[in-house]
Amino acid sequence: MLLASSDVLPPAELATPVWLDAMSAAVGGVFGALTARRADLDVMGALFIAVATGIGGGLIRDTLLQRGTPAALTNPWLVPTALGAALVGLLFARPVVRLTLLLTLLDALFLGIYSIVGTEKAFRADLPLLSCVLLGVVTGVGGGLLRDILVGDRPMLLLPGAVYASAAAGGTTLFTVALALGGSTAVWFVPALALTVLMRLGSL
Amino acid sequence: MLLASSDVLPPAELATPVWLDAMSAAVGGVFGALTARRADLDVMGALFIAVATGIGGGLIRDTLLQRGTPAALTNPWLVPTALGAALVGLLFARPVVRLTLLLTLLDALFLGIYSIVGTEKAFRADLPLLSCVLLGVVTGVGGGLLRDILVGDRPMLLLPGAVYASAAAGGTTLFTVALALGGSTAVWFVPALALTVLMRLGSL
Amino acid sequence: MLLASSDVLPPAELATPVWLDAMSAAVGGVFGALTARRADLDVMGALFIAVATGIGGGLIRDTLLQRGTPAALTNPWLVPTALGAALVGLLFARPVVRLTLLLTLLDALFLGIYSIVGTEKAFRADLPLLSCVLLGVVTGVGGGLLRDILVGDRPMLLLPGAVYASAAAGGTTLFTVALALGGSTAVWFVPALALTVLMRLGSL
């Protein structure tokens, strides 16, 4: 079977709608911009970091799966959205910081969504169960990981008590086990998402 | 269409001639060796860093595009050239450092050449316009980025005022817009290159 | 020729048996867990680092070669083994540290085995000779490299006197030259392995 080009893949059961992908890139972009500002980067450095944060998780996921050029690059909305969000984050840093609670909620939500989507892509590619969990976690945390490595910080997800990778692992494990036992994505998406979001928010 | 193996790609309009690829690997190799020397690495560590610097940009570009094994590995000249240049940089560090001005000029030149070549590859792969700019910038700065992450420095391109990613973004944006409006590579290569080189040198 | 999916590759002459792959993932997992413990990571961070250490070399090798999803993800044993070994390393850190000598021996052994396997895969993919050496070295050192970058340490292989990349380069160079001159894997595997192990252990 020919798996090299993304257009020969069967349509994904859990293909995230574009607006959801774009919203995730936006959240990542804002967080990236705030991190870059704290690290005293100039505008271009901040935009670079913000885009890496916004699309990093999907970029790493698709590069590892090797099913063609990553969606983060082929989708025409993700890079512009991450860029736009980063500009908003840089221009309105003060009011945006006041929205930290909202951003943290969105971040937990997208951590859940993206790790489950990553797991589902791996499951559909017939990877072993633990690889599905691993790829989901990497998808969920990849953007923040790339951001922290580029800026030279120790990755946030490794800070004790962050419950970041753990939260992603919790939701994706539940989801993987459910799918392996014959459960459907439609039924198990929300419980798995809720588990990740609750684990992440419970640690704050 | 089968896109997995590089030999089925249509010949690139902007395929860089081998001597240009090799020269870029050499400039990267010398810079990598000098960085490694400042960081007190031993010879083998320095060679490793130098090769990563010399071929890193193309390696990242081709890994992301997923059109087969990266040219940096399949081309028989690039790794040897980066290695040879690194040895020269290590053995003759003192006179080489005196050539800093020449090296900086060459570095700006190859930043421009490689970011535009990366952009052109992305454009030919029908990526969205901003993805073309992004992939070009990543190609141009990838070698130095890899070098700095491996050595444990904050990436040079993120230092305030470096005008490194910005210079690459300037040239590739001009080039992408020109191509999108129907311009030809032959006409727009030089103006885009000039913009990047002038932006980079103007910041020094 | 279609090279996109790993199942269309001719069977590898030097395909490592699964128990060997798994043992390497285990050694990496234990080392990763000990590193994570020294760096004060919590359990989940330690497991993440341990898995990255255990499968990182093969992951980087297969991602660069672009012959389909990396074996580290498609093989059902590697991630679980790295995880299990990491748990053992975390739970029994004190007695495990006493086994440092044994672990160091195993680490040198697997550095040799994996760098040679990486080189052989590159040779079979018709890469130029120095690329074969380079890919072998990257395979051998990739796990430790990823571990150190994620934890925020300068990569161990760059520490002066580590003779880590050098040892891998020694063995893979001998192996590559032998194969290029018409030698067989069966004859040259053991001498190349011995060279790497002796170079690495001789530096301790």
Side-chain angles (χ1 to χ4, degrees), chain B residues 4 39-40 42 44 62-63 66 69-70 73-74 150-151, chain C residues 4 64-67 128 131 154-155 158 160-161 166 169:
Chain B
D40 276 327
D42 58 13
M44 196 65 203
D62 292 346
T63 302
Q66 298 201 26
T69 310
L73 293 176
T74 55
L150 287 174
V151 171
Chain C
L64 288 177
L65 271 178
Q66 298 199 29
R67 295 287 189 275
S131 296
R154 168 173 290 191
L158 294 179
S166 311

mmCIF file with all atom_site columns, all heavy atoms in Angstrom, chain B residues 4 39-40 42 44 62-63 66 69-70 73-74 150-151, chain C residues 4 64-67 128 131 154-155 158 160-161 166 169:
data_model
loop_
_atom_site.group_PDB
_atom_site.id
_atom_site.type_symbol
_atom_site.label_atom_id
_atom_site.label_alt_id
_atom_site.label_comp_id
_atom_site.label_asym_id
_atom_site.label_entity_id
_atom_site.label_seq_id
_atom_site.pdbx_PDB_ins_code
_atom_site.Cartn_x
_atom_site.Cartn_y
_atom_site.Cartn_z
_atom_site.occupancy
_atom_site.B_iso_or_equiv
_atom_site.pdbx_formal_charge
_atom_site.auth_seq_id
_atom_site.auth_comp_id
_atom_site.auth_asym_id
_atom_site.auth_atom_id
_atom_site.pdbx_PDB_model_num
ATOM 1   N N   . ALA B 1 4   ? 7.300  9.796  -2.758 1.00 0.00 ? 4   ALA B N   1
ATOM 2   C CA  . ALA B 1 4   ? 8.128  9.355  -1.639 1.00 0.00 ? 4   ALA B CA  1
ATOM 3   C C   . ALA B 1 4   ? 9.611  9.430  -1.931 1.00 0.00 ? 4   ALA B C   1
ATOM 4   O O   . ALA B 1 4   ? 10.404 9.699  -1.051 1.00 0.00 ? 4   ALA B O   1
ATOM 5   C CB  . ALA B 1 4   ? 7.767  7.925  -1.301 1.00 0.00 ? 4   ALA B CB  1
ATOM 6   N N   . ALA B 1 39  ? 33.395 26.861 22.649 1.00 0.00 ? 39  ALA B N   1
ATOM 7   C CA  . ALA B 1 39  ? 32.674 26.109 23.668 1.00 0.00 ? 39  ALA B CA  1
ATOM 8   C C   . ALA B 1 39  ? 33.550 25.011 24.270 1.00 0.00 ? 39  ALA B C   1
ATOM 9   O O   . ALA B 1 39  ? 33.057 24.190 25.040 1.00 0.00 ? 39  ALA B O   1
ATOM 10  C CB  . ALA B 1 39  ? 31.403 25.494 23.071 1.00 0.00 ? 39  ALA B CB  1
ATOM 11  N N   . ASP B 1 40  ? 34.845 25.003 23.917 1.00 0.00 ? 40  ASP B N   1
ATOM 12  C CA  . ASP B 1 40  ? 35.790 24.036 24.501 1.00 0.00 ? 40  ASP B CA  1
ATOM 13  C C   . ASP B 1 40  ? 35.439 22.584 24.216 1.00 0.00 ? 40  ASP B C   1
ATOM 14  O O   . ASP B 1 40  ? 35.661 21.722 25.071 1.00 0.00 ? 40  ASP B O   1
ATOM 15  C CB  . ASP B 1 40  ? 35.885 24.223 26.024 1.00 0.00 ? 40  ASP B CB  1
ATOM 16  C CG  . ASP B 1 40  ? 36.879 25.309 26.356 1.00 0.00 ? 40  ASP B CG  1
ATOM 17  O OD1 . ASP B 1 40  ? 37.867 25.435 25.610 1.00 0.00 ? 40  ASP B OD1 1
ATOM 18  O OD2 . ASP B 1 40  ? 36.655 26.021 27.346 1.00 0.00 ? 40  ASP B OD2 1
ATOM 19  N N   . ASP B 1 42  ? 35.993 18.951 22.294 1.00 0.00 ? 42  ASP B N   1
ATOM 20  C CA  . ASP B 1 42  ? 37.162 18.303 21.716 1.00 0.00 ? 42  ASP B CA  1
ATOM 21  C C   . ASP B 1 42  ? 36.964 18.132 20.205 1.00 0.00 ? 42  ASP B C   1
ATOM 22  O O   . ASP B 1 42  ? 35.936 18.545 19.647 1.00 0.00 ? 42  ASP B O   1
ATOM 23  C CB  . ASP B 1 42  ? 37.475 16.969 22.416 1.00 0.00 ? 42  ASP B CB  1
ATOM 24  C CG  . ASP B 1 42  ? 36.309 16.008 22.341 1.00 0.00 ? 42  ASP B CG  1
ATOM 25  O OD1 . ASP B 1 42  ? 35.370 16.255 21.558 1.00 0.00 ? 42  ASP B OD1 1
ATOM 26  O OD2 . ASP B 1 42  ? 36.324 15.006 23.071 1.00 0.00 ? 42  ASP B OD2 1
ATOM 27  N N   . MET B 1 44  ? 36.342 15.690 18.087 1.00 0.00 ? 44  MET B N   1
ATOM 28  C CA  . MET B 1 44  ? 35.203 14.953 17.552 1.00 0.00 ? 44  MET B CA  1
ATOM 29  C C   . MET B 1 44  ? 33.904 15.709 17.770 1.00 0.00 ? 44  MET B C   1
ATOM 30  O O   . MET B 1 44  ? 33.050 15.760 16.881 1.00 0.00 ? 44  MET B O   1
ATOM 31  C CB  . MET B 1 44  ? 35.137 13.575 18.227 1.00 0.00 ? 44  MET B CB  1
ATOM 32  C CG  . MET B 1 44  ? 34.267 12.615 17.483 1.00 0.00 ? 44  MET B CG  1
ATOM 33  S SD  . MET B 1 44  ? 34.953 12.227 15.834 1.00 0.00 ? 44  MET B SD  1
ATOM 34  C CE  . MET B 1 44  ? 33.444 11.711 15.015 1.00 0.00 ? 44  MET B CE  1
ATOM 35  N N   . ASP B 1 62  ? 14.294 19.171 4.194  1.00 0.00 ? 62  ASP B N   1
ATOM 36  C CA  . ASP B 1 62  ? 13.876 17.969 3.479  1.00 0.00 ? 62  ASP B CA  1
ATOM 37  C C   . ASP B 1 62  ? 13.136 16.998 4.389  1.00 0.00 ? 62  ASP B C   1
ATOM 38  O O   . ASP B 1 62  ? 12.259 16.262 3.928  1.00 0.00 ? 62  ASP B O   1
ATOM 39  C CB  . ASP B 1 62  ? 15.098 17.281 2.855  1.00 0.00 ? 62  ASP B CB  1
ATOM 40  C CG  . ASP B 1 62  ? 15.693 18.116 1.724  1.00 0.00 ? 62  ASP B CG  1
ATOM 41  O OD1 . ASP B 1 62  ? 15.024 19.052 1.280  1.00 0.00 ? 62  ASP B OD1 1
ATOM 42  O OD2 . ASP B 1 62  ? 16.813 17.828 1.295  1.00 0.00 ? 62  ASP B OD2 1
ATOM 43  N N   . THR B 1 63  ? 13.480 16.993 5.680  1.00 0.00 ? 63  THR B N   1
ATOM 44  C CA  . THR B 1 63  ? 12.745 16.131 6.608  1.00 0.00 ? 63  THR B CA  1
ATOM 45  C C   . THR B 1 63  ? 11.304 16.609 6.740  1.00 0.00 ? 63  THR B C   1
ATOM 46  O O   . THR B 1 63  ? 10.378 15.798 6.795  1.00 0.00 ? 63  THR B O   1
ATOM 47  C CB  . THR B 1 63  ? 13.440 16.114 7.974  1.00 0.00 ? 63  THR B CB  1
ATOM 48  O OG1 . THR B 1 63  ? 14.785 15.646 7.799  1.00 0.00 ? 63  THR B OG1 1
ATOM 49  C CG2 . THR B 1 63  ? 12.724 15.183 8.939  1.00 0.00 ? 63  THR B CG2 1
ATOM 50  N N   . GLN B 1 66  ? 9.353  15.936 3.379  1.00 0.00 ? 66  GLN B N   1
ATOM 51  C CA  . GLN B 1 66  ? 9.094  14.511 3.179  1.00 0.00 ? 66  GLN B CA  1
ATOM 52  C C   . GLN B 1 66  ? 8.970  14.136 1.709  1.00 0.00 ? 66  GLN B C   1
ATOM 53  O O   . GLN B 1 66  ? 7.939  13.655 1.237  1.00 0.00 ? 66  GLN B O   1
ATOM 54  C CB  . GLN B 1 66  ? 7.860  14.062 3.967  1.00 0.00 ? 66  GLN B CB  1
ATOM 55  C CG  . GLN B 1 66  ? 8.069  14.264 5.445  1.00 0.00 ? 66  GLN B CG  1
ATOM 56  C CD  . GLN B 1 66  ? 7.158  13.415 6.297  1.00 0.00 ? 66  GLN B CD  1
ATOM 57  O OE1 . GLN B 1 66  ? 6.708  12.364 5.887  1.00 0.00 ? 66  GLN B OE1 1
ATOM 58  N NE2 . GLN B 1 66  ? 6.901  13.869 7.501  1.00 0.00 ? 66  GLN B NE2 1
ATOM 59  N N   . THR B 1 69  ? 14.848 10.737 1.352  1.00 0.00 ? 69  THR B N   1
ATOM 60  C CA  . THR B 1 69  ? 16.024 11.004 2.181  1.00 0.00 ? 69  THR B CA  1
ATOM 61  C C   . THR B 1 69  ? 16.621 12.369 1.828  1.00 0.00 ? 69  THR B C   1
ATOM 62  O O   . THR B 1 69  ? 16.785 12.684 0.654  1.00 0.00 ? 69  THR B O   1
ATOM 63  C CB  . THR B 1 69  ? 17.069 9.898  1.951  1.00 0.00 ? 69  THR B CB  1
ATOM 64  O OG1 . THR B 1 69  ? 16.421 8.629  2.094  1.00 0.00 ? 69  THR B OG1 1
ATOM 65  C CG2 . THR B 1 69  ? 18.188 9.984  2.971  1.00 0.00 ? 69  THR B CG2 1
ATOM 66  N N   . PRO B 1 70  ? 16.923 13.188 2.845  1.00 0.00 ? 70  PRO B N   1
ATOM 67  C CA  . PRO B 1 70  ? 17.422 14.543 2.590  1.00 0.00 ? 70  PRO B CA  1
ATOM 68  C C   . PRO B 1 70  ? 18.646 14.576 1.678  1.00 0.00 ? 70  PRO B C   1
ATOM 69  O O   . PRO B 1 70  ? 19.530 13.715 1.773  1.00 0.00 ? 70  PRO B O   1
ATOM 70  C CB  . PRO B 1 70  ? 17.785 15.044 3.990  1.00 0.00 ? 70  PRO B CB  1
ATOM 71  C CG  . PRO B 1 70  ? 16.876 14.294 4.900  1.00 0.00 ? 70  PRO B CG  1
ATOM 72  C CD  . PRO B 1 70  ? 16.721 12.940 4.265  1.00 0.00 ? 70  PRO B CD  1
ATOM 73  N N   . LEU B 1 73  ? 22.171 14.114 2.884  1.00 0.00 ? 73  LEU B N   1
ATOM 74  C CA  . LEU B 1 73  ? 22.708 12.769 3.102  1.00 0.00 ? 73  LEU B CA  1
ATOM 75  C C   . LEU B 1 73  ? 22.953 12.037 1.785  1.00 0.00 ? 73  LEU B C   1
ATOM 76  O O   . LEU B 1 73  ? 23.870 11.223 1.689  1.00 0.00 ? 73  LEU B O   1
ATOM 77  C CB  . LEU B 1 73  ? 21.744 11.943 3.968  1.00 0.00 ? 73  LEU B CB  1
ATOM 78  C CG  . LEU B 1 73  ? 21.582 12.423 5.408  1.00 0.00 ? 73  LEU B CG  1
ATOM 79  C CD1 . LEU B 1 73  ? 20.545 11.595 6.146  1.00 0.00 ? 73  LEU B CD1 1
ATOM 80  C CD2 . LEU B 1 73  ? 22.917 12.369 6.147  1.00 0.00 ? 73  LEU B CD2 1
ATOM 81  N N   . THR B 1 74  ? 22.113 12.295 0.769  1.00 0.00 ? 74  THR B N   1
ATOM 82  C CA  . THR B 1 74  ? 22.280 11.555 -0.486 1.00 0.00 ? 74  THR B CA  1
ATOM 83  C C   . THR B 1 74  ? 23.366 12.171 -1.381 1.00 0.00 ? 74  THR B C   1
ATOM 84  O O   . THR B 1 74  ? 23.987 11.470 -2.155 1.00 0.00 ? 74  THR B O   1
ATOM 85  C CB  . THR B 1 74  ? 20.958 11.496 -1.282 1.00 0.00 ? 74  THR B CB  1
ATOM 86  O OG1 . THR B 1 74  ? 20.492 12.823 -1.485 1.00 0.00 ? 74  THR B OG1 1
ATOM 87  C CG2 . THR B 1 74  ? 19.898 10.717 -0.516 1.00 0.00 ? 74  THR B CG2 1
ATOM 88  N N   . LEU B 1 150 ? 22.560 22.297 20.049 1.00 0.00 ? 150 LEU B N   1
ATOM 89  C CA  . LEU B 1 150 ? 23.448 21.193 20.426 1.00 0.00 ? 150 LEU B CA  1
ATOM 90  C C   . LEU B 1 150 ? 24.504 21.656 21.418 1.00 0.00 ? 150 LEU B C   1
ATOM 91  O O   . LEU B 1 150 ? 24.847 20.945 22.353 1.00 0.00 ? 150 LEU B O   1
ATOM 92  C CB  . LEU B 1 150 ? 24.125 20.599 19.180 1.00 0.00 ? 150 LEU B CB  1
ATOM 93  C CG  . LEU B 1 150 ? 23.207 19.766 18.281 1.00 0.00 ? 150 LEU B CG  1
ATOM 94  C CD1 . LEU B 1 150 ? 23.942 19.346 17.019 1.00 0.00 ? 150 LEU B CD1 1
ATOM 95  C CD2 . LEU B 1 150 ? 22.715 18.525 19.028 1.00 0.00 ? 150 LEU B CD2 1
ATOM 96  N N   . VAL B 1 151 ? 25.036 22.853 21.206 1.00 0.00 ? 151 VAL B N   1
ATOM 97  C CA  . VAL B 1 151 ? 26.083 23.351 22.107 1.00 0.00 ? 151 VAL B CA  1
ATOM 98  C C   . VAL B 1 151 ? 25.487 23.850 23.419 1.00 0.00 ? 151 VAL B C   1
ATOM 99  O O   . VAL B 1 151 ? 26.184 23.986 24.415 1.00 0.00 ? 151 VAL B O   1
ATOM 100 C CB  . VAL B 1 151 ? 26.895 24.460 21.398 1.00 0.00 ? 151 VAL B CB  1
ATOM 101 C CG1 . VAL B 1 151 ? 27.838 25.151 22.343 1.00 0.00 ? 151 VAL B CG1 1
ATOM 102 C CG2 . VAL B 1 151 ? 27.678 23.867 20.245 1.00 0.00 ? 151 VAL B CG2 1
ATOM 103 N N   . ALA C 1 4   ? 8.358  4.216  0.122  1.00 0.00 ? 4   ALA C N   1
ATOM 104 C CA  . ALA C 1 4   ? 7.721  5.013  1.158  1.00 0.00 ? 4   ALA C CA  1
ATOM 105 C C   . ALA C 1 4   ? 7.332  4.210  2.383  1.00 0.00 ? 4   ALA C C   1
ATOM 106 O O   . ALA C 1 4   ? 7.399  4.693  3.495  1.00 0.00 ? 4   ALA C O   1
ATOM 107 C CB  . ALA C 1 4   ? 6.474  5.664  0.599  1.00 0.00 ? 4   ALA C CB  1
ATOM 108 N N   . LEU C 1 64  ? 15.072 10.523 9.469  1.00 0.00 ? 64  LEU C N   1
ATOM 109 C CA  . LEU C 1 64  ? 15.947 11.079 8.435  1.00 0.00 ? 64  LEU C CA  1
ATOM 110 C C   . LEU C 1 64  ? 15.929 10.227 7.167  1.00 0.00 ? 64  LEU C C   1
ATOM 111 O O   . LEU C 1 64  ? 15.901 10.752 6.056  1.00 0.00 ? 64  LEU C O   1
ATOM 112 C CB  . LEU C 1 64  ? 17.379 11.201 8.961  1.00 0.00 ? 64  LEU C CB  1
ATOM 113 C CG  . LEU C 1 64  ? 17.616 12.298 10.003 1.00 0.00 ? 64  LEU C CG  1
ATOM 114 C CD1 . LEU C 1 64  ? 19.058 12.263 10.490 1.00 0.00 ? 64  LEU C CD1 1
ATOM 115 C CD2 . LEU C 1 64  ? 17.288 13.667 9.420  1.00 0.00 ? 64  LEU C CD2 1
ATOM 116 N N   . LEU C 1 65  ? 15.930 8.899  7.328  1.00 0.00 ? 65  LEU C N   1
ATOM 117 C CA  . LEU C 1 65  ? 15.955 8.034  6.142  1.00 0.00 ? 65  LEU C CA  1
ATOM 118 C C   . LEU C 1 65  ? 14.658 8.114  5.350  1.00 0.00 ? 65  LEU C C   1
ATOM 119 O O   . LEU C 1 65  ? 14.641 7.904  4.138  1.00 0.00 ? 65  LEU C O   1
ATOM 120 C CB  . LEU C 1 65  ? 16.221 6.589  6.551  1.00 0.00 ? 65  LEU C CB  1
ATOM 121 C CG  . LEU C 1 65  ? 17.681 6.160  6.626  1.00 0.00 ? 65  LEU C CG  1
ATOM 122 C CD1 . LEU C 1 65  ? 17.792 4.724  7.088  1.00 0.00 ? 65  LEU C CD1 1
ATOM 123 C CD2 . LEU C 1 65  ? 18.361 6.311  5.260  1.00 0.00 ? 65  LEU C CD2 1
ATOM 124 N N   . GLN C 1 66  ? 13.549 8.389  6.066  1.00 0.00 ? 66  GLN C N   1
ATOM 125 C CA  . GLN C 1 66  ? 12.237 8.491  5.412  1.00 0.00 ? 66  GLN C CA  1
ATOM 126 C C   . GLN C 1 66  ? 11.869 7.242  4.619  1.00 0.00 ? 66  GLN C C   1
ATOM 127 O O   . GLN C 1 66  ? 11.670 7.293  3.404  1.00 0.00 ? 66  GLN C O   1
ATOM 128 C CB  . GLN C 1 66  ? 12.176 9.741  4.534  1.00 0.00 ? 66  GLN C CB  1
ATOM 129 C CG  . GLN C 1 66  ? 12.335 10.989 5.372  1.00 0.00 ? 66  GLN C CG  1
ATOM 130 C CD  . GLN C 1 66  ? 11.838 12.244 4.696  1.00 0.00 ? 66  GLN C CD  1
ATOM 131 O OE1 . GLN C 1 66  ? 10.925 12.188 3.876  1.00 0.00 ? 66  GLN C OE1 1
ATOM 132 N NE2 . GLN C 1 66  ? 12.403 13.363 5.050  1.00 0.00 ? 66  GLN C NE2 1
ATOM 133 N N   . ARG C 1 67  ? 11.771 6.154  5.352  1.00 0.00 ? 67  ARG C N   1
ATOM 134 C CA  . ARG C 1 67  ? 11.301 4.897  4.758  1.00 0.00 ? 67  ARG C CA  1
ATOM 135 C C   . ARG C 1 67  ? 10.026 4.440  5.466  1.00 0.00 ? 67  ARG C C   1
ATOM 136 O O   . ARG C 1 67  ? 9.808  3.249  5.656  1.00 0.00 ? 67  ARG C O   1
ATOM 137 C CB  . ARG C 1 67  ? 12.361 3.803  4.929  1.00 0.00 ? 67  ARG C CB  1
ATOM 138 C CG  . ARG C 1 67  ? 13.652 4.028  4.194  1.00 0.00 ? 67  ARG C CG  1
ATOM 139 C CD  . ARG C 1 67  ? 13.428 3.793  2.698  1.00 0.00 ? 67  ARG C CD  1
ATOM 140 N NE  . ARG C 1 67  ? 14.689 3.794  1.978  1.00 0.00 ? 67  ARG C NE  1
ATOM 141 C CZ  . ARG C 1 67  ? 15.299 4.891  1.535  1.00 0.00 ? 67  ARG C CZ  1
ATOM 142 N NH1 . ARG C 1 67  ? 14.783 6.071  1.764  1.00 0.00 ? 67  ARG C NH1 1
ATOM 143 N NH2 . ARG C 1 67  ? 16.431 4.794  0.873  1.00 0.00 ? 67  ARG C NH2 1
ATOM 144 N N   . PRO C 1 128 ? 25.991 7.880  0.301  1.00 0.00 ? 128 PRO C N   1
ATOM 145 C CA  . PRO C 1 128 ? 27.445 7.979  0.190  1.00 0.00 ? 128 PRO C CA  1
ATOM 146 C C   . PRO C 1 128 ? 28.117 7.511  1.492  1.00 0.00 ? 128 PRO C C   1
ATOM 147 O O   . PRO C 1 128 ? 27.499 7.526  2.560  1.00 0.00 ? 128 PRO C O   1
ATOM 148 C CB  . PRO C 1 128 ? 27.688 9.480  -0.022 1.00 0.00 ? 128 PRO C CB  1
ATOM 149 C CG  . PRO C 1 128 ? 26.375 10.063 -0.371 1.00 0.00 ? 128 PRO C CG  1
ATOM 150 C CD  . PRO C 1 128 ? 25.320 9.170  0.168  1.00 0.00 ? 128 PRO C CD  1
ATOM 151 N N   . SER C 1 131 ? 28.037 9.658  4.626  1.00 0.00 ? 131 SER C N   1
ATOM 152 C CA  . SER C 1 131 ? 26.676 9.742  5.157  1.00 0.00 ? 131 SER C CA  1
ATOM 153 C C   . SER C 1 131 ? 26.336 8.482  5.945  1.00 0.00 ? 131 SER C C   1
ATOM 154 O O   . SER C 1 131 ? 25.598 8.533  6.944  1.00 0.00 ? 131 SER C O   1
ATOM 155 C CB  . SER C 1 131 ? 25.659 9.928  4.029  1.00 0.00 ? 131 SER C CB  1
ATOM 156 O OG  . SER C 1 131 ? 25.866 11.157 3.363  1.00 0.00 ? 131 SER C OG  1
ATOM 157 N N   . ARG C 1 154 ? 24.066 20.287 28.572 1.00 0.00 ? 154 ARG C N   1
ATOM 158 C CA  . ARG C 1 154 ? 24.871 20.186 27.357 1.00 0.00 ? 154 ARG C CA  1
ATOM 159 C C   . ARG C 1 154 ? 25.000 18.706 27.028 1.00 0.00 ? 154 ARG C C   1
ATOM 160 O O   . ARG C 1 154 ? 25.267 17.880 27.925 1.00 0.00 ? 154 ARG C O   1
ATOM 161 C CB  . ARG C 1 154 ? 26.254 20.783 27.581 1.00 0.00 ? 154 ARG C CB  1
ATOM 162 C CG  . ARG C 1 154 ? 27.210 20.421 26.435 1.00 0.00 ? 154 ARG C CG  1
ATOM 163 C CD  . ARG C 1 154 ? 28.526 21.129 26.527 1.00 0.00 ? 154 ARG C CD  1
ATOM 164 N NE  . ARG C 1 154 ? 28.356 22.557 26.251 1.00 0.00 ? 154 ARG C NE  1
ATOM 165 C CZ  . ARG C 1 154 ? 29.398 23.383 26.051 1.00 0.00 ? 154 ARG C CZ  1
ATOM 166 N NH1 . ARG C 1 154 ? 30.619 22.908 26.111 1.00 0.00 ? 154 ARG C NH1 1
ATOM 167 N NH2 . ARG C 1 154 ? 29.179 24.656 25.813 1.00 0.00 ? 154 ARG C NH2 1
ATOM 168 N N   . PRO C 1 155 ? 24.802 18.327 25.752 1.00 0.00 ? 155 PRO C N   1
ATOM 169 C CA  . PRO C 1 155 ? 24.860 16.901 25.414 1.00 0.00 ? 155 PRO C CA  1
ATOM 170 C C   . PRO C 1 155 ? 26.151 16.243 25.896 1.00 0.00 ? 155 PRO C C   1
ATOM 171 O O   . PRO C 1 155 ? 27.247 16.738 25.671 1.00 0.00 ? 155 PRO C O   1
ATOM 172 C CB  . PRO C 1 155 ? 24.783 16.913 23.878 1.00 0.00 ? 155 PRO C CB  1
ATOM 173 C CG  . PRO C 1 155 ? 23.978 18.121 23.566 1.00 0.00 ? 155 PRO C CG  1
ATOM 174 C CD  . PRO C 1 155 ? 24.370 19.136 24.607 1.00 0.00 ? 155 PRO C CD  1
ATOM 175 N N   . LEU C 1 158 ? 29.244 15.737 23.895 1.00 0.00 ? 158 LEU C N   1
ATOM 176 C CA  . LEU C 1 158 ? 30.111 16.856 23.540 1.00 0.00 ? 158 LEU C CA  1
ATOM 177 C C   . LEU C 1 158 ? 31.105 17.178 24.647 1.00 0.00 ? 158 LEU C C   1
ATOM 178 O O   . LEU C 1 158 ? 31.998 18.005 24.464 1.00 0.00 ? 158 LEU C O   1
ATOM 179 C CB  . LEU C 1 158 ? 29.266 18.094 23.241 1.00 0.00 ? 158 LEU C CB  1
ATOM 180 C CG  . LEU C 1 158 ? 28.380 17.983 22.000 1.00 0.00 ? 158 LEU C CG  1
ATOM 181 C CD1 . LEU C 1 158 ? 27.570 19.244 21.825 1.00 0.00 ? 158 LEU C CD1 1
ATOM 182 C CD2 . LEU C 1 158 ? 29.222 17.726 20.757 1.00 0.00 ? 158 LEU C CD2 1
ATOM 183 N N   . PRO C 1 160 ? 34.294 17.196 26.717 1.00 0.00 ? 160 PRO C N   1
ATOM 184 C CA  . PRO C 1 160 ? 35.651 16.829 26.305 1.00 0.00 ? 160 PRO C CA  1
ATOM 185 C C   . PRO C 1 160 ? 36.030 15.470 26.900 1.00 0.00 ? 160 PRO C C   1
ATOM 186 O O   . PRO C 1 160 ? 35.742 15.179 28.062 1.00 0.00 ? 160 PRO C O   1
ATOM 187 C CB  . PRO C 1 160 ? 36.514 17.950 26.907 1.00 0.00 ? 160 PRO C CB  1
ATOM 188 C CG  . PRO C 1 160 ? 35.598 19.097 27.098 1.00 0.00 ? 160 PRO C CG  1
ATOM 189 C CD  . PRO C 1 160 ? 34.253 18.493 27.400 1.00 0.00 ? 160 PRO C CD  1
ATOM 190 N N   . GLY C 1 161 ? 36.629 14.650 26.080 1.00 0.00 ? 161 GLY C N   1
ATOM 191 C CA  . GLY C 1 161 ? 37.099 13.360 26.575 1.00 0.00 ? 161 GLY C CA  1
ATOM 192 C C   . GLY C 1 161 ? 36.034 12.288 26.676 1.00 0.00 ? 161 GLY C C   1
ATOM 193 O O   . GLY C 1 161 ? 36.295 11.192 27.162 1.00 0.00 ? 161 GLY C O   1
ATOM 194 N N   . SER C 1 166 ? 33.177 9.728  18.983 1.00 0.00 ? 166 SER C N   1
ATOM 195 C CA  . SER C 1 166 ? 34.412 9.210  18.377 1.00 0.00 ? 166 SER C CA  1
ATOM 196 C C   . SER C 1 166 ? 34.385 7.692  18.308 1.00 0.00 ? 166 SER C C   1
ATOM 197 O O   . SER C 1 166 ? 34.782 7.100  17.296 1.00 0.00 ? 166 SER C O   1
ATOM 198 C CB  . SER C 1 166 ? 35.636 9.630  19.191 1.00 0.00 ? 166 SER C CB  1
ATOM 199 O OG  . SER C 1 166 ? 35.620 10.988 19.481 1.00 0.00 ? 166 SER C OG  1
ATOM 200 N N   . ALA C 1 169 ? 32.078 6.691  15.667 1.00 0.00 ? 169 ALA C N   1
ATOM 201 C CA  . ALA C 1 169 ? 32.654 6.999  14.358 1.00 0.00 ? 169 ALA C CA  1
ATOM 202 C C   . ALA C 1 169 ? 33.746 6.000  13.997 1.00 0.00 ? 169 ALA C C   1
ATOM 203 O O   . ALA C 1 169 ? 33.876 5.604  12.833 1.00 0.00 ? 169 ALA C O   1
ATOM 204 C CB  . ALA C 1 169 ? 33.206 8.426  14.357 1.00 0.00 ? 169 ALA C CB  1
#
